[in-house]
């Protein structure tokens, strides 16, 4: 992360739904020689298992010869975040407001501080934010009500106070980014991002990167963002490509064949485009 900040690039943090998604990310990272994160939230943890994710990523890291790390995304409790640390995830996002949207400032700070301390067990980097972050990792039909979401934008003073109170490594900024893919492009407040960068010394991440024009990412990276989360754009490519493949091959019941033939390529193309926007191509350090 220090290298990314010094060299003005960002890690892509790509959600891992299954092995096909992991393969797409690994192939993109190998092709562009880019360092990447793959991440799982509680739903994927429940489905795949923490240790299975750790082992799969380690296997692909060796097979593809890539720089790749694992992030536990939006971990909803202290216990869940500790499980991720113990499983060897290098990045931990503690977000108790995800499970309880009405969590108090004191509860959020206390939980975050506890995970910052516990992460010293492995050296994992801890990410958090002082309030609930809206949207969902899906394709939305409604537009974006910026008057409403601006109420939850980060503020320089709030970011500074939260980082000072918790000791986190990465602050998840809210500047117009929003979980999910919407029918209109997202608009990021880059002036606010610069103010946040001036107010805090730690890393800055952007959640809800899907559906954002690439020029915002390029500017955000130049300002100092070092992690951008992508999920819905990948899921959209996955599903629409699979639907077409199924329609084109009505007699093929080996769905895995279609996923391997068509879907992985489509998701890989999404990942590659993001890595270019994040200026991370060619930045991998392989040990």
């Amino acid at each position: 992360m220090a290298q990314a900040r010094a060299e003005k690039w960002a890690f892509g943090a790509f959600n891992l739904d299954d092995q096909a998604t992991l393969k797409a990310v690994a192939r993109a990272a190998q092709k562009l020689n880019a360092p990447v994160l793959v991440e799982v939230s509680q739903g994927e943890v429940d489905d795949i298992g923490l240790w299975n994710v750790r082992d799969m990523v380690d296997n692909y890291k060796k097979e593809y010869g890539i720089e790749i790390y694992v992030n536990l995304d939006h971990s909803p409790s202290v216990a869940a975040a500790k499980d991720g640390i113990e499983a060897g995830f290098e990045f931990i996002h503690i977000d108790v407001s995800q499970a309880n949207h009405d969590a108090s400032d004191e509860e959020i700070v206390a939980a975050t501080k506890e995970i910052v301390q516990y992460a010293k067990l492995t050296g994992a980097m801890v990410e958090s934010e002082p309030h609930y972050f809206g949207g969902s990792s899906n394709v939305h039909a409604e537009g974006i009500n910026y008057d409403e979401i601006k109420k939850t934008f980060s503020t320089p003073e709030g970011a500074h106070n939260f980082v000072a109170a918790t000791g986190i490594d990465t602050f998840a900024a809210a500047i117009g980014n929003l979980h999910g893919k919407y029918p209109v492009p997202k608009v990021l407040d880059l002036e606010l991002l610069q103010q946040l960068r001036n107010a805090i010394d730690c890393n800055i991440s952007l959640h809800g990167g899907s559906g954002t024009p690439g020029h915002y990412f390029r500017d955000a990276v130049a300002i100092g963002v070092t992690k951008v989360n992508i999920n819905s754009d990948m899921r959209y490519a996955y599903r629409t490509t699979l639907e077409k493949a199924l329609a084109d091959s009505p007699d093929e019941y080996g769905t895995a064949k279609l996923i391997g033939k068509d879907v992985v390529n489509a998701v890989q193309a999404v990942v590659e485009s993001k890595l270019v926007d994040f200026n991370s191509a060619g930045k991998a350090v392989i040990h």
Side-chain angles (χ1 to χ4, degrees):
M1 292 291 270
Q3 179 194 352
R5 187 168 171 186
E7 298 177 357
K8 301 296 185 183
W9 55 270
F11 282 94
F14 302 101
N15 272 76
L16 171 60
D17 281 335
D18 57 11
Q19 187 174 354
T21 313
L22 174 57
K23 182 179 287 188
V25 176
R27 285 174 24 174
Q30 182 189 58
K31 180 179 177 180
L32 297 182
N33 192 32
V36 294
L37 306 181
V38 288
E39 58 188 16
V40 286
S41 55
Q42 193 60 46
E44 290 86 37
V45 169
D46 293 340
D47 185 42
I48 304 172
L50 284 170
W51 289 97
N52 289 333
V53 171
R54 179 73 268 173
D55 288 344
M56 287 171 63
V57 172
D58 287 344
N59 291 342
Y60 273 73
K61 176 181 181 179
K62 182 177 180 180
E63 178 181 348
Y64 285 88
I66 55 178
E67 184 182 358
I68 184 170
Y69 308 97
V70 191
N71 177 47
L72 185 60
D73 193 35
H74 292 286
S75 186
S77 69
V78 167
K82 287 182 177 180
D83 286 343
I85 292 168
E86 292 173 3
F89 284 25
E90 294 91 350
F91 292 78
I92 302 291
H93 175 209
I94 174 69
D95 183 16
V96 294
S97 67
Q98 182 76 4
N100 177 14
H101 297 180
D102 297 321
S104 68
D105 294 346
E106 292 77 14
E107 289 171 323
I108 294 171
V109 168
T112 302
K113 286 178 66 175
E114 185 171 350
I115 294 305
V116 167
Q117 183 64 32
Y118 199 78
K120 294 178 181 179
L121 176 70
T122 62
M125 302 193 74
V126 179
E127 174 181 356
S128 190
E129 64 269 61
H131 55 72
Y132 174 64
F133 191 91
S136 66
S137 297
N138 213 331
V139 177
H140 295 257
E142 74 275 15
I144 301 174
N145 185 343
Y146 278 102
D147 289 337
E148 192 63 30
I149 68 169
K150 282 181 179 178
K151 297 176 183 177
T152 60
F153 273 17
S154 304
T155 66
E157 181 181 8
H160 174 82
N161 292 341
F162 186 73
V163 172
T166 59
I168 54 173
D169 302 290
T170 304
F171 179 80
I175 59 167
N177 43 317
L178 188 66
H179 288 131
K181 186 176 179 68
Y182 291 80
V184 295
K186 295 172 186 174
V187 178
L188 303 186
D189 188 338
L190 296 174
E191 182 178 342
L192 174 57
L193 177 61
Q194 184 64 68
Q195 293 171 3
L196 295 172
R197 179 70 285 166
N198 295 341
I200 57 179
D201 291 329
C202 70
N203 304 301
I204 295 177
S205 71
L206 295 178
H207 285 249
S210 294
T212 305
H215 68 88
Y216 283 114
F217 292 139
R218 294 189 286 274
D219 288 343
V221 167
I223 291 170
V225 165
T226 50
K227 174 177 169 286
V228 182
N229 289 35
I230 301 293
N231 188 359
S232 300
D233 281 343
M234 298 165 66
R235 287 181 170 176
Y236 182 82
Y238 192 121
R239 174 161 177 165
T240 55
T241 302
L242 180 57
E243 287 175 344
K244 184 178 185 304
L246 290 169
D248 291 344
S249 304
D251 298 324
E252 178 58 78
Y253 286 85
T255 307
K257 296 179 182 178
L258 301 178
I259 292 173
K261 177 177 174 288
D262 299 309
V263 171
V264 172
N265 289 336
V267 176
Q268 180 181 342
V270 172
V271 175
E272 288 180 16
S273 70
K274 304 302 182 185
L275 294 176
V276 171
D277 285 336
F278 302 159
N279 195 34
S280 57
K283 303 298 196 302
V285 177
I286 310 300
H287 299 286

